[in-house]
Amino acid sequence: MRIPTVFTPELQKQYHVTGRMVAMAGGLLFAVSAYLPWAYTGAALDNMSYLGGPSTLQFLGLTLGLIVAWCAAMGWIEPWADRRGFARPLIRVSKRVGWTRGSKAMGIGLLAYIVLILVVIAIELRGLVAVEWGGWVALVAALMAFVGTRLLIAGRAPSLERVRSAAWVEIVAIALILLLALLLVAYALNQNDGGIFLSIIAFAGALSAFVLRSGIGAWISEAGQKHRTVLVFSSFLVAFLFPFTQNGSDANMSIATQVLVFAATAVGLNIVVGLAGLLDLGYIAFLGAGAFTAATLSESAFATINWKPPFIVVMLIAGLISASLGLLIGSPTLRVSGDYLAIVTLAFGEIFRITMNNLDGQSGPNLTHGSSGIPAIPNLELFGFDFGKPHVVFGITLGRFSNYFFLMLLIMAVIVLVFTRLNHSRIGRGWVAIREDEKAAEAMGVNVFGLKLLAFAGGAFLAGFAGAVKAHVDVSVIPDQYVFLESAFLLAAVVLGGMGTVIGVILGATLLKLLPEKLRFVSEYRMLLFGLLMVVMMRFRPEGMIPNQRRALEFHSDDEELVQEIEEDLPYEFAEEKS
């Protein structure tokens, strides 16, 4: 809801003040509703049937409600504390936070959160009649918060990133954020109820929207840039600690390992799509090439090549074969672009799958046993360490998939290092120039064809690396694992996360791999939900969840100019510290 500019300043101010009161009341009422029963029985979600005993999801909702109330109240707290001289350094920092902008995002998130929970309760308990009175109170409170935040006028943009803070404060903030992320992911994976998983995703989305809109996200990003080494090592440390939070669960660690394989492949595709701007719809073939190479060179009784080199050598061979396929498909086709290149790469992916099916000893050489593939691939054994055996560390049993998870972490570190080095090199700048305007890049002396070919080969090499590990994780390799739909999911992970970024692509790949696993109770509608998710993202955030700064400016430059024009036309400036 946008306040018409024809309203007088006094009327606009009344809307603003009324919105603060309604939003604050809605947030506080929602927090209180967490202590009320939301469901008739405890069979729905995480047992929301108690009076006075909030469940975990209700407690998360309470947190969102308090944030809305706090944001709304800051319009009065800041001037009051400033006039009385209370905590002036904190007030100066607070004035740089976009509390109103954050509360607008949180109002939408709070409403989406409670609507999702009520829908899940109705589905699991077969009807809205199973929603208790406390759930309806929470819905009314969320509606109040939503309407109240819509009446607010955002005022000036947040500028928290300009605040100078001590290095130890920034490092502690990074560590706390990563720790909270670890706890949230661990809790989500330990839930067998898909509704709980979706509710946690909704909570994380609402919280992330608030952080980004309020300017806190910009401060965190700035802190991460200043302490990049700390951020990288902390991220890998958190990922390393993740298996210790799963109590030896092979099911969760299997999912986590597949997520890492998928994410590593998506980062390789990010070179082709995100940096060079080449639309590849057959990228899954490079992952399959690495997997089949590792399978044929493994110790399996069904392997068709008698040479059994060490696994490190196998990984290099798998990467080189995948890169060779990239050169093979790239050399004759990279002189075309756009839709034509997409069709050619899609055809290549299908050609690869059909070729693997034909290498059965009848239609061609017996290398892959055709549609049966290569089963019984044994577990890896590197430097005396058997990846198939459980190991006890600090009293916690780490099973087979935990071992492969640690291996994929090391491979992911190598892939991320290669990607970031290429991205910030002369080669990376050449790829970006080709993506922006191929003709202009060629006119400026950029070797367009050579860099395109290098992007294809480099991305394929990284996919081959991941495929070599995937063969041993899956125990068997068959051609039907590498179909077009997998290529589509990889491309969606890159677009959804943010083309040209590492963290964004890893986040996108994680979501797209986790959602099908946790939404098995709606297996018939998973593709529908996936399509709706992509439509919503392309409409409201086309640059991705964690976008590259250049692409974010490309997508929103017109919008920012429009916002500036609107703010200049407003007869009354509702700055946060004056409202």
Side-chain angles (χ1 to χ4, degrees), residues 100-225:
T100 302
R101 294 172 184 263
S103 67
K104 285 177 173 288
M106 186 58 74
I108 299 174
L110 188 64
L111 182 60
Y113 181 77
I114 186 60
V115 168
L116 175 63
I117 286 179
L118 296 184
V119 168
V120 172
I121 291 175
I123 292 175
E124 294 187 355
L125 297 183
R126 302 184 182 278
L128 286 173
V129 69
V131 177
E132 277 287 350
W133 60 279
W136 299 116
V137 171
L139 179 61
V140 171
L143 285 171
M144 290 174 58
F146 173 77
V147 173
T149 55
R150 292 300 93 189
L151 293 175
L152 300 178
I153 295 180
R156 64 181 60 176
S159 57
L160 188 61
E161 70 277 7
R162 300 176 186 174
V163 175
R164 294 182 179 180
S165 52
W168 69 268
V169 173
E170 297 172 343
I171 293 174
V172 169
I174 292 172
L176 287 177
I177 291 170
L178 292 175
L179 179 61
L180 290 175
L182 172 64
L183 295 176
L184 195 63
V185 171
Y187 176 75
L189 275 181
N190 283 325
Q191 306 304 315
N192 296 322
D193 191 314
I196 297 179
F197 182 79
L198 282 179
S199 300
I200 294 174
I201 293 294
F203 169 80
L207 200 59
S208 300
F210 164 73
V211 168
L212 292 174
R213 291 289 295 166
S214 64
I216 298 175
W219 181 82
I220 295 173
S221 177
E222 189 72 20
Q225 291 294 329

Side-chain angles (χ1 to χ4, degrees), residues 34-35 58 85 112 128 201 267 309 314 331 364 368 394 411 414 444 526 544:
Y35 290 86
Q58 286 177 304
L128 286 173
I201 293 294
V267 172
V314 171
S331 298
T368 65
F394 302 121
I411 295 174
V414 173
M444 294 301 294
R526 280 187 293 179

